[in-house]
Amino acid sequence: MATAHPRVHREVVSFVRRSSRMNASQQKAWREQSDRVIRVPARDTDTSVAADAEIDWPDAFGRPAPLVVEIGGGTGDVISTVAAKHPDLNYLAFEVFEPAVASTLSKCARAGVNNVRVVVANGVDALGTLVPDGSLTELWTFFPDPWHKKRHHKRRLVSRPFADLVAAKLSDGGVWRLATDWADYALAMREVLDDHPALVNRYDGWAPRWEDRPRSRYEAKGIAAGRTIYDLCYGIREGGRR
Ligand SMILES: C[S@@+](CC[C@H](N)C(=O)[O-])C[C@H]1O[C@@H](n2cnc3c(N)ncnc32)[C@H](O)[C@@H]1O
């Protein structure tokens, strides 16, 4: 007789598993910059984060400083550039795709930055578990996967539950910066975030392009395809969290 196994609950995530094969320069960066990768215990899948995982960020960065997190930064175009401009801040990337993390490490090394650390994990899990409430200076979600099909919209990163999480993690003066090249996703983001009781749209509409943000790989793709780029920027509403 077959043994009854408990049904495995498959979590809906905003990414797909891809081959983690790296090219030679990614392998080199992965080897040489591995001290920038912060290892965290997993819960079940290898991109998950154990509920009791804890990281001492001042220790991981070698100093206390205001913390900026990017989720899904891909090959690190933005974080490597902005971290070089602001050496006084600590920058943390949560990215699931290892070859992209290796490219991020390589760009950071070329830019000579010492203030970037990376965790290879689902950024939703990592933000929830590893970042203390009310502690984030900035959170960035630039060009998240658009998940076009209606039946896949539940996989979109920017959603009401995710906005609840970001609102809990931002400091009172903290800022959430977003950008996308997909008009329907941009409108869906506005709908969720403009309505959120703890968030306030800093521009009462679309945000101007953030002058620090360099053009990323995916932004370049969107522009080459003739799409409009939408920037959004939210802060914490005074009294909105209570
Ligand atoms: C469309 S790409 C955009 C990359 C980059 N922001 C850019 O503009 O070039 C989305 C990235 O988000 C990553 N990603 C998607 N969901 C994620 C999650 N929950 N946690 C961490 N990374 C995620 C993917 O692996 C991919 O690298």
Side-chain angles (χ1 to χ4, degrees):
M1 205 171 79
T3 317
H5 290 286
R7 183 192 277 265
V8 176
H9 172 69
R10 267 183 205 280
E11 202 184 352
V12 176
V13 292
S14 60
F15 51 88
V16 279
R17 303 287 344 216
R18 286 182 280 169
S19 153
S20 56
R21 205 161 337 129
M22 298 188 196
N23 63 32
S25 80
Q26 289 168 332
Q27 285 176 25
K28 183 169 181 286
W30 192 260
R31 254 192 334 269
E32 292 177 357
Q33 309 293 322
S34 61
D35 55 331
R36 309 287 161 98
V37 181
I38 310 298
R39 314 280 166 181
V40 296
R43 185 184 58 243
D44 39 33
T45 61
D46 53 9
T47 50
S48 67
V49 176
D52 58 354
E54 261 182 77
I55 304 288
D56 178 336
W57 294 116
D59 183 56
F61 281 93
R63 61 169 189 184
L67 187 65
V68 178
V69 166
E70 179 170 34
I71 296 182
T75 52
D77 298 306
V78 177
I79 207 163
S80 60
T81 306
V82 180
K85 270 194 191 166
H86 301 282
D88 47 325
L89 303 183
N90 286 343
Y91 291 87
L92 178 58
F94 294 144
E95 169 58 61
V96 285
F97 188 43
E98 284 182 358
V101 168
S103 297
T104 301
L105 297 172
S106 163
K107 282 177 194 163
C108 288
R110 259 183 280 141
V113 302
N114 290 319
N115 54 338
V116 174
R117 300 290 180 272
V118 182
V119 173
V120 182
N122 179 350
V124 179
D125 256 21
L127 185 66
T129 308
L130 304 176
V131 175
D133 284 357
S135 71
L136 263 194
T137 292
E138 294 203 10
L139 187 277
W140 306 340
T141 48
F142 295 137
F143 303 92
D145 295 292
W147 292 106
H148 293 297
K149 291 183 183 150
K150 195 144 197 184
R151 69 189 160 87
H152 286 153
H153 282 186
K154 60 179 179 288
R155 302 188 70 147
R156 286 178 164 178
L157 179 64
V158 182
S159 61
R160 175 58 196 254
F162 182 65
D164 291 344
L165 179 62
V166 175
K169 300 297 169 181
L170 284 178
S171 63
D172 283 344
V175 170
W176 182 6
R177 300 183 191 280
L178 310 93
T180 181
D181 56 330
W182 294 102
D184 74 310
Y185 196 7
L187 289 168
M189 290 177 184
R190 282 285 304 279
E191 208 168 296
V192 168
L193 305 185
D194 286 351
D195 272 1
H196 196 286
L199 296 172
V200 64
N201 189 333
R202 307 258 294 216
Y203 292 93
D204 197 27
W206 304 112
R209 186 197 169 84
W210 179 36
E211 69 275 11
D212 272 1
R213 183 167 67 73
R215 188 176 287 182
S216 71
R217 182 155 167 249
Y218 276 83
E219 178 173 13
K221 276 190 184 183
I223 289 170
R227 292 191 289 273
T228 300
I229 305 301
Y230 299 88
D231 275 74
L232 296 84
C233 181
Y234 290 79
I236 293 293
R237 185 181 296 282
E238 215 185 311
R241 266 203 285 235
R242 285 169 275 277

